[in-house]
Amino acid sequence: MAKTPPKIQIIPLGGLGEIGKNMTVIRYGDDIIVIDCGLMFPEDDMPGIDLVIPDITYLLENRDFVRAIILTHGHEDHIGALPYVLKQLNVPVYGTRLTLGILGGKLKENNVAKADLIPVQPGDRVQLGVFQVGFIRVNHSIPDSVAISVKTPVGTIVHTGDFKFDQTPVDGKEKVTDFHRLADLGDQGVLALLADSTNSDRTGFTISERTVGMHFDEVFHHARDRIIIASFSSNVHRIQQAIDTARKYKRKVAIIGHSMQSIVNIALELGYLTIEDGLLIDIDAIGKYPSAAVVILTTGSQGEPMASLTRMAMSDHKKVEIVPGDTVIISATPIPGNEKMVSRTIDFLFRQGAEVVYDRESGIHVSGHASQEELKLMHNLIRPKFFIPLHGEYRHLKKHAKLAQDLGTPKENIFVAENGHVIELSRDKGAITSKVTAGRVLVDGLGVGDVGNIVLRDRKQLSQDGILVVVLTIDKKRGCLVAGPDIVSRGFVYVRESEQLMEEAKEKVNQALEKCELNSGTEWAMIKTSVRDMLGKYLYEKTRRRPMILPIIMEV
Amino acid sequence: MAKTPPKIQIIPLGGLGEIGKNMTVIRYGDDIIVIDCGLMFPEDDMPGIDLVIPDITYLLENRDFVRAIILTHGHEDHIGALPYVLKQLNVPVYGTRLTLGILGGKLKENNVAKADLIPVQPGDRVQLGVFQVGFIRVNHSIPDSVAISVKTPVGTIVHTGDFKFDQTPVDGKEKVTDFHRLADLGDQGVLALLADSTNSDRTGFTISERTVGMHFDEVFHHARDRIIIASFSSNVHRIQQAIDTARKYKRKVAIIGHSMQSIVNIALELGYLTIEDGLLIDIDAIGKYPSAAVVILTTGSQGEPMASLTRMAMSDHKKVEIVPGDTVIISATPIPGNEKMVSRTIDFLFRQGAEVVYDRESGIHVSGHASQEELKLMHNLIRPKFFIPLHGEYRHLKKHAKLAQDLGTPKENIFVAENGHVIELSRDKGAITSKVTAGRVLVDGLGVGDVGNIVLRDRKQLSQDGILVVVLTIDKKRGCLVAGPDIVSRGFVYVRESEQLMEEAKEKVNQALEKCELNSGTEWAMIKTSVRDMLGKYLYEKTRRRPMILPIIMEV
């Protein structure tokens, strides 16, 4: 390192080959900055897990070099790990005002008292170690989103954050993506582009957020009774459009759901949301207005079991009951994995007599991520030497790499990497040179990282066929059974209907014990193995199931 | 019943408010026929369950009146419950040749030796008790599909089965839906239409299966190396088109996957599939041909963990390894709930270096169900007095009902019913008059119906936070503890990293015992409750988790 000038290292710690827990490290010598620090929601194969955060071992090992964490926007998959990470690594956090507003709420909820949050505005530049970091306005499904430019001794790096090019943003002309700054950077020469790949398999352009407002208008025009709109609470522009449409149709608006209320309050306070005096009403007051004069804004667009809309659908909400005549707009598409939950919610709403507007074709939702033509424009504006696709499942990264190649970036200058890969760039050459610790840390209740693969494997086995606990009390000195075997099962069969099976199972355990020739010298481990094997085999033959078998020996 | 002439009863036992386990009962006096007898794949909230079949209590209670089971086509959700149902209710089964061919294979695999399978052809009519049952050719994603007409003393009932109107079916002009027969029935007057609602929320017409062949052609044209096609094994027309395209491009075809091989054999034997001599090769022989001369047809289009394509993607298949240059066509869309599994398979295929053709827009899959314009045509051909939407989630039934109403069927003549509802029709009037037993029976391994809600609830709890087993050995006479408390946990935490927690947990159990003032009169149930409460509370405070706590008391 001393002889050759240090190269730039780019190390994704999350967000590659997955949607979520975005986190990218940029390192030059003894200076490190981190872009984003997100969480991921658990996959199907992580039962009981609440959320997943990146493994930051690498940063903890290099804690003295970490100058700051920079945030691109306020979505969970970009800021959601901070309440956990800041407890271990308290460094300054830079972000735009709305981003830090939302983060502040989360830190408070998680009892993180001390955090050094430094607000910036699009257009600002800050010096962090050797790095000059710039914030560039982009459009996304949350206001105040920025791309990040990082001037380094080797060259400039541009990280797009999540973006789309919305030519008619809801918040006005001056909030269009800063094309001029991007063009300027491209003119000056960019070493590497790191870019959002979420929609890299979609052709064309992503539709403007503004069109959703037009579709709201259409639904409002036809609705005779109450209107209930479920959306992502962080989509402040969507909320603004719902509120504007409500005003136009002389309806009052009630807001329900913890995250919706919390983000509306922050957005109002910071001026990202404009609501006419008297338009908002308390949810308890909706009964005072005719149904044709009410709009309810709520969470639950993903069918989450505890969210307000889901509870309304299940007739389990304290304050709102769905009645025939209600029109429900689900202004979101299901995040992959949530399809069934959303579909169930829609069905229950229909059963309660509501009209539900939900499908993609109805135009009541648009994506916040750039489609192929926008990605091409970004590449052509930035004209980078090297390209690293970020933020996407493997197929998205691959398609984005292909797109860059089609635009003329040489294959050897494109790096489809994995989390933990160290991509080293000099002015002329790049390579993946090594790998640092990276992965997922599971959060379950108050436990961070105390559930791992063995615990998950056990949970999965338990969920498939349940458990049989076999208890034996053995007199150690005499080497004989003094109580048991007792068998208790959970999640296996209805015991009452399977008495014979359980009797025979006990018999099998006795046979296993006989085989072990129980005496004062017998090893408990041998008994356990024998019980597990014989009973397991018997149960599989009889039921074709493989419950967990847990032999417990008590010594007296 | 004796005085007024008996009415027709229509009783759906499955398929309403769900996709799967289709089964409809038609009853007039002492004559019952059953249309279809399908299974459903388990939902997310049924861990460990293999499949779900309809509850046939009603049929068993009326077994002497059941004249036959009539099948519309050979899909699992229409025939898959028969291996279980025929063991309890051995009645004649009518179906077309391919349907019975596929069923025969399933019965054999499930050791159902005696079954009275009676083949029919589209156009046939059979008398079953008072009913004259007719079979009418329709198009669907499996050949030999039929709609059913049932002449009854009250009027004619038409059950569409699963259908689409394919104007250019793969198997030729004479296999177009029998529009003339449907028109004829409509002319004579139809009492009730029972119709497929799967795609009732899709506008327009469903695209012809034939177009998939054109898209295969395009992919074959560009592929330089091996082509691997995954599809539903029962889509014989899709397989035919893959084979025809292979022949055109001078490629040999190898077939892999149990269900794919089995259906190809049946379809070949019965003449539903035409393959030129020498075109098929054994999977072990693919190495003998250049990669540009090979096509592999496989199962796994749904990302099922054990299917061939999934194993190939995971580098876990014995005979086929995915290599760069391979083109994989996933000729199917994910069934709701399978999205994540399919997406994971696609990602792994990309990681192995394959090119994957998968998205809806690529045209390599079309639906087998009628969209709105086809449904309208069906309604206008049949012109029924009453309408009962079948085969769909609740929202599909509701949309289909709306469509019928828009076409002029009076609202009071449309019945959006639930499984088990008895819909009684006279010539003039209809009503839902009562409810019979209906529901789901869970199949888990060899057990049919021995897993119910309590077992499922336990499995779910076990999967969320695991289990702690607390064992105490107590001297009953003296009323004192002689061994334990021992605590064993599974699926809760890494025990090694949580030694202190487990020590304190043991302490809590001891406190619970002290509180019970253990003596010879103490009731075990009270001890158990006390242990469960105190330990549960302690663990929730410390971890925010609620593992199952299972106290076991051994008496010596």
Side-chain angles (χ1 to χ4, degrees):
Chain A
M1 290 282 263
K3 286 174 193 169
T4 55
K7 296 167 182 171
I8 272 287
Q9 293 184 327
I10 296 167
I11 311 169
L13 288 184
L16 299 199
E18 62 194 8
I19 301 281
K21 68 178 176 68
N22 295 287
M23 189 172 210
T24 310
V25 172
I26 298 177
R27 176 172 192 159
Y28 180 88
D30 287 349
D31 283 307
I32 286 176
I33 55 170
V34 181
I35 300 178
D36 288 332
C37 184
L39 62 74
M40 191 166 83
F41 292 100
E43 307 263 324
D44 284 354
D45 60 351
M46 304 176 194
I49 299 303
D50 298 322
L51 45 97
V52 184
I53 60 174
D55 183 332
I56 59 161
T57 304
Y58 174 78
L59 294 177
L60 296 177
E61 285 169 1
N62 294 280
R63 58 189 319 143
D64 293 342
F65 309 145
V66 182
R67 304 293 157 233
I69 297 173
I70 321 275
L71 303 177
T72 59
H73 63 285
H75 277 156
E76 292 278 26
D77 57 332
H78 292 259
I79 67 168
L82 278 169
Y84 306 92
V85 167
L86 289 181
K87 283 180 188 167
Q88 297 180 274
L89 184 76
N90 197 357
V91 297
V93 178
Y94 289 81
T96 53
R97 285 167 61 237
L98 183 63
T99 306
L100 294 189
I102 294 171
L103 174 62
K106 285 192 191 305
L107 293 179
K108 216 168 159 185
E109 282 173 18
N110 283 277
N111 304 313
V112 181
K114 277 188 199 169
D116 185 11
L117 307 187
I118 303 164
V120 294
Q121 295 213 337
D124 283 359
R125 281 162 220 200
V126 296
Q127 192 71 34
L128 298 166
V130 293
F131 303 117
Q132 193 200 75
V133 175
F135 299 83
I136 308 158
R137 179 182 305 289
V138 294
N139 304 114
H140 186 43
S141 46
I142 184 169
D144 239 12
S145 296
V146 288
I148 308 290
S149 65
V150 186
K151 278 203 180 163
T152 80
V154 185
T156 301
I157 294 166
V158 176
H159 181 300
T160 65
D162 290 6
F163 81 102
K164 69 192 271 189
F165 290 144
D166 195 333
Q167 308 292 349
T168 54
V170 171
D171 43 2
K173 210 171 91 176
E174 65 275 21
K175 298 298 170 70
V176 168
T177 293
D178 191 348
F179 292 110
H180 303 85
R181 178 85 190 110
L182 294 173
D184 207 34
L185 285 163
D187 253 359
Q188 291 163 30
V190 169
L191 182 73
L193 173 67
L194 284 55
D196 177 5
S197 309
T198 315
N199 278 355
S200 64
D201 58 357
R202 292 212 199 151
T203 55
F205 268 86
T206 301
I207 295 168
S208 171
E209 174 67 28
R210 192 174 286 239
T211 61
V212 175
M214 301 176 198
H215 290 283
F216 280 171
D217 195 291
E218 206 177 312
V219 177
F220 274 62
H221 178 68
H222 289 102
R224 287 158 311 165
D225 294 330
R226 255 185 343 187
I227 296 173
I228 297 163
I229 303 180
S231 189
F232 295 109
S233 53
S234 62
N235 198 328
V236 175
H237 292 149
R238 189 76 47 91
I239 296 170
Q240 183 72 63
Q241 295 193 93
I243 284 169
D244 292 348
T245 316
R247 196 185 50 175
K248 177 175 166 192
Y249 284 90
K250 304 201 187 324
R251 287 172 180 259
K252 301 286 182 187
V253 177
I255 290 170
I256 199 158
H258 172 70
S259 67
M260 185 66 88
Q261 280 168 325
S262 139
I263 296 212
V264 164
N265 288 341
I266 292 165
L268 270 176
E269 202 175 294
L270 299 177
Y272 290 88
L273 197 57
T274 316
I275 307 182
E276 199 180 59
D277 281 351
L279 191 79
L280 283 189
I281 57 170
D282 194 87
I283 191 70
D284 293 316
I286 53 171
K288 295 183 196 155
Y289 295 86
S291 60
V294 171
V295 173
I296 298 170
L297 277 179
T298 178
T299 53
S301 67
Q302 295 301 309
E304 312 92 316
M306 305 307 287
S308 295
L309 184 69
T310 319
R311 287 174 170 245
M312 293 177 204
M314 304 294 174
S315 304
D316 182 35
H317 196 279
K318 275 183 222 159
K319 309 203 165 178
V320 183
E321 189 190 356
I322 301 289
V323 293
D326 282 347
T327 300
V328 180
I329 302 177
I330 299 189
S331 181
T333 43
I335 294 171
N338 292 352
E339 292 86 353
K340 282 294 251 189
M341 292 198 299
V342 173
S343 148
R344 205 171 299 162
T345 303
I346 294 171
D347 277 331
F348 275 97
L349 290 167
F350 268 115
R351 276 175 205 270
Q352 312 285 0
E355 184 57 38
V356 191
V357 186
Y358 61 92
D359 36 9
R360 199 183 280 254
E361 286 119 50
S362 64
I364 38 78
H365 177 69
V366 298
S367 170
H369 297 273
S371 298
Q372 287 173 0
E373 293 307 312
E374 288 150 282
L375 295 177
K376 289 178 193 169
L377 179 52
M378 180 61 94
H379 282 259
N380 282 333
L381 284 170
I382 297 296
R383 297 190 294 207
K385 185 167 184 72
F386 299 103
F387 171 56
I388 303 168
L390 299 182
H391 205 284
E393 302 279 1
Y394 192 81
R395 65 185 178 283
H396 302 132
L397 307 181
K398 203 77 189 174
K399 292 234 171 190
H400 201 173
K402 174 87 169 33
L403 179 144
Q405 217 182 318
D406 289 349
L407 291 173
T409 305
K411 202 176 169 183
E412 62 274 19
N413 287 6
I414 300 172
F415 302 98
V416 176
E418 309 263 354
N419 294 330
H421 274 166
V422 179
I423 305 155
E424 266 189 4
L425 305 178
S426 69
R427 284 199 178 84
D428 316 309
K429 266 192 186 162
I432 294 174
T433 55
S434 59
K435 205 168 186 321
V436 304
T437 305
R440 57 188 202 187
V441 172
L442 308 180
V443 179
D444 182 0
L446 296 179
V448 179
D450 66 344
V451 170
N453 288 333
I454 294 172
V455 174
L456 285 186
R457 196 199 56 200
D458 283 351
R459 287 185 185 176
K460 274 178 266 177
Q461 194 191 349
L462 289 166
S463 79
Q464 288 303 299
D465 289 321
I467 186 170
L468 272 88
V469 183
V470 182
V471 192
L472 310 165
T473 303
I474 291 180
D475 184 322
K476 204 185 171 183
K477 274 187 214 140
R478 292 188 293 154
C480 69
L481 197 67
V482 290
D486 275 14
I487 301 183
V488 182
S489 84
R490 287 291 183 276
F492 176 53
V493 286
Y494 268 144
V495 174
R496 237 173 269 172
E497 290 177 15
S498 312
E499 274 176 16
Q500 201 197 335
L501 183 75
M502 298 309 274
E503 271 311 309
E504 286 174 24
K506 207 179 261 185
E507 195 40 51
K508 279 287 151 187
V509 175
N510 280 321
Q511 286 173 24
L513 291 175
E514 273 168 36
K515 231 178 123 187
C516 293
E517 295 172 6
L518 196 61
N519 60 51
S520 57
T522 316
E523 290 209 17
W524 291 174
M526 201 186 87
I527 298 178
K528 287 182 183 178
T529 306
S530 174
V531 166
R532 216 180 269 122
D533 289 351
M534 283 189 71
L535 187 54
K537 207 176 142 204
Y538 167 76
L539 292 174
Y540 184 72
E541 261 168 30
K542 284 284 176 180
T543 66
R544 287 286 180 283
R545 298 180 204 170
R546 298 192 189 282
M548 182 182 283
I549 295 172
L550 185 60
I552 301 178
I553 297 176
M554 303 291 288
E555 290 177 9
V556 291
Chain B
M1 289 284 261
K3 286 176 193 169
T4 56
K7 295 166 181 171
I8 271 287
Q9 294 184 328
I10 296 168
I11 311 169
L13 288 184
L16 299 199
E18 61 193 10
I19 300 281
K21 69 179 177 67
N22 294 286
M23 189 172 212
T24 310
V25 172
I26 298 177
R27 177 173 190 159
Y28 179 87
D30 288 349
D31 282 307
I32 286 176
I33 55 171
V34 181
I35 299 178
D36 288 333
C37 185
L39 61 75
M40 192 166 85
F41 292 101
E43 306 263 323
D44 284 353
D45 60 351
M46 306 177 193
I49 299 303
D50 298 322
L51 46 98
V52 184
I53 60 175
D55 183 331
I56 59 160
T57 304
Y58 174 77
L59 294 177
L60 297 177
E61 285 168 0
N62 293 280
R63 59 189 320 143
D64 293 342
F65 308 145
V66 182
R67 304 294 157 233
I69 296 174
I70 321 276
L71 303 177
T72 59
H73 63 286
H75 278 156
E76 290 279 26
D77 58 332
H78 292 258
I79 67 167
L82 278 169
Y84 306 92
V85 167
L86 288 182
K87 283 180 187 167
Q88 298 180 272
L89 184 77
N90 197 356
V91 296
V93 178
Y94 290 81
T96 53
R97 285 167 61 237
L98 183 64
T99 305
L100 294 189
I102 294 171
L103 173 61
K106 286 191 188 307
L107 293 179
K108 217 168 156 184
E109 282 173 17
N110 283 278
N111 303 314
V112 181
K114 276 188 199 169
D116 184 10
L117 308 186
I118 303 164
V120 292
Q121 296 212 334
D124 283 358
R125 281 162 220 199
V126 296
Q127 193 71 34
L128 298 166
V130 293
F131 302 118
Q132 193 199 73
V133 175
F135 299 85
I136 306 159
R137 179 182 306 289
V138 294
N139 304 114
H140 187 41
S141 46
I142 183 169
D144 239 13
S145 295
V146 288
I148 308 290
S149 65
V150 185
K151 276 201 182 165
T152 80
V154 185
T156 300
I157 294 166
V158 175
H159 182 301
T160 66
D162 290 6
F163 81 102
K164 70 192 271 191
F165 290 144
D166 194 333
Q167 308 292 347
T168 55
V170 171
D171 43 2
K173 209 170 92 179
E174 65 275 20
K175 298 298 168 69
V176 168
T177 293
D178 191 347
F179 292 108
H180 302 84
R181 177 85 191 110
L182 293 172
D184 207 34
L185 284 163
D187 253 357
Q188 290 163 32
V190 170
L191 181 73
L193 173 67
L194 285 54
D196 177 5
S197 309
T198 315
N199 278 355
S200 64
D201 58 358
R202 291 211 199 152
T203 55
F205 268 87
T206 300
I207 296 168
S208 170
E209 174 68 29
R210 191 174 286 238
T211 62
V212 175
M214 301 175 198
H215 291 284
F216 279 171
D217 195 291
E218 208 177 310
V219 177
F220 274 63
H221 179 68
H222 290 102
R224 287 158 311 167
D225 293 327
R226 253 183 347 184
I227 296 173
I228 297 163
I229 303 179
S231 189
F232 295 108
S233 53
S234 62
N235 198 329
V236 175
H237 293 148
R238 189 77 45 92
I239 296 170
Q240 182 75 63
Q241 295 194 91
I243 284 169
D244 292 348
T245 316
R247 195 185 52 175
K248 177 176 165 191
Y249 285 91
K250 304 201 187 321
R251 287 172 179 258
K252 300 286 181 188
V253 177
I255 291 171
I256 199 159
H258 172 70
S259 67
M260 186 65 90
Q261 280 169 326
S262 138
I263 297 214
V264 164
N265 288 340
I266 293 165
L268 270 176
E269 203 176 292
L270 298 176
Y272 289 87
L273 198 58
T274 316
I275 307 182
E276 200 180 57
D277 281 352
L279 191 78
L280 282 189
I281 56 170
D282 194 87
I283 191 70
D284 293 316
I286 53 172
K288 295 183 196 153
Y289 295 85
S291 60
V294 171
V295 173
I296 298 170
L297 278 179
T298 177
T299 53
S301 67
Q302 296 300 309
E304 312 92 316
M306 305 306 288
S308 296
L309 183 68
T310 319
R311 287 174 169 244
M312 293 177 204
M314 305 293 172
S315 304
D316 181 34
H317 196 280
K318 276 183 223 160
K319 309 203 165 177
V320 183
E321 189 190 356
I322 301 289
V323 292
D326 282 347
T327 301
V328 180
I329 303 176
I330 301 190
S331 181
T333 43
I335 293 172
N338 292 350
E339 292 86 353
K340 283 293 253 189
M341 293 199 298
V342 174
S343 148
R344 204 171 301 162
T345 304
I346 292 170
D347 277 331
F348 275 97
L349 290 168
F350 269 116
R351 276 175 205 270
Q352 311 286 1
E355 184 56 38
V356 191
V357 186
Y358 62 92
D359 36 10
R360 201 183 279 254
E361 287 120 49
S362 64
I364 37 77
H365 177 69
V366 297
S367 170
H369 298 272
S371 297
Q372 287 173 0
E373 292 307 311
E374 289 151 281
L375 295 176
K376 289 177 192 168
L377 179 51
M378 180 62 93
H379 282 258
N380 282 333
L381 283 170
I382 298 295
R383 297 191 292 209
K385 184 167 187 67
F386 299 103
F387 170 57
I388 303 167
L390 298 182
H391 204 284
E393 302 280 2
Y394 192 81
R395 64 184 177 282
H396 302 132
L397 307 182
K398 205 74 190 174
K399 292 236 171 189
H400 201 173
K402 174 84 168 38
L403 179 145
Q405 218 182 316
D406 289 349
L407 290 174
T409 306
K411 201 176 172 184
E412 62 273 19
N413 287 5
I414 299 172
F415 303 99
V416 177
E418 310 263 355
N419 295 329
H421 274 167
V422 179
I423 305 154
E424 266 189 4
L425 306 177
S426 68
R427 283 199 177 84
D428 316 309
K429 267 194 184 159
I432 294 173
T433 55
S434 58
K435 205 169 186 320
V436 304
T437 304
R440 58 188 202 188
V441 172
L442 308 181
V443 179
D444 182 359
L446 297 180
V448 179
D450 66 345
V451 171
N453 288 332
I454 295 172
V455 174
L456 285 185
R457 197 199 54 200
D458 284 351
R459 287 185 184 174
K460 273 178 266 178
Q461 194 192 348
L462 288 166
S463 79
Q464 288 303 298
D465 290 321
I467 186 170
L468 271 89
V469 183
V470 182
V471 192
L472 311 165
T473 302
I474 291 178
D475 184 322
K476 204 184 174 183
K477 274 187 216 140
R478 291 188 293 152
C480 70
L481 197 68
V482 291
D486 275 14
I487 301 183
V488 182
S489 85
R490 286 291 184 277
F492 175 53
V493 286
Y494 268 144
V495 174
R496 235 173 270 174
E497 290 176 15
S498 312
E499 273 176 16
Q500 201 196 336
L501 183 75
M502 297 309 272
E503 271 312 310
E504 286 174 25
K506 207 178 261 186
E507 196 39 52
K508 279 288 151 187
V509 175
N510 280 322
Q511 285 173 25
L513 291 176
E514 271 168 37
K515 229 179 125 188
C516 293
E517 294 171 5
L518 195 61
N519 62 50
S520 58
T522 316
E523 289 209 18
W524 289 174
M526 201 186 87
I527 298 178
K528 287 183 184 179
T529 305
S530 175
V531 166
R532 214 179 270 124
D533 289 352
M534 283 189 71
L535 187 54
K537 208 176 142 203
Y538 167 76
L539 292 174
Y540 184 73
E541 261 169 28
K542 285 283 176 182
T543 66
R544 288 286 179 280
R545 297 180 205 169
R546 298 191 188 282
M548 183 183 282
I549 295 172
L550 186 60
I552 300 178
I553 296 175
M554 303 291 287
E555 290 177 10
V556 291

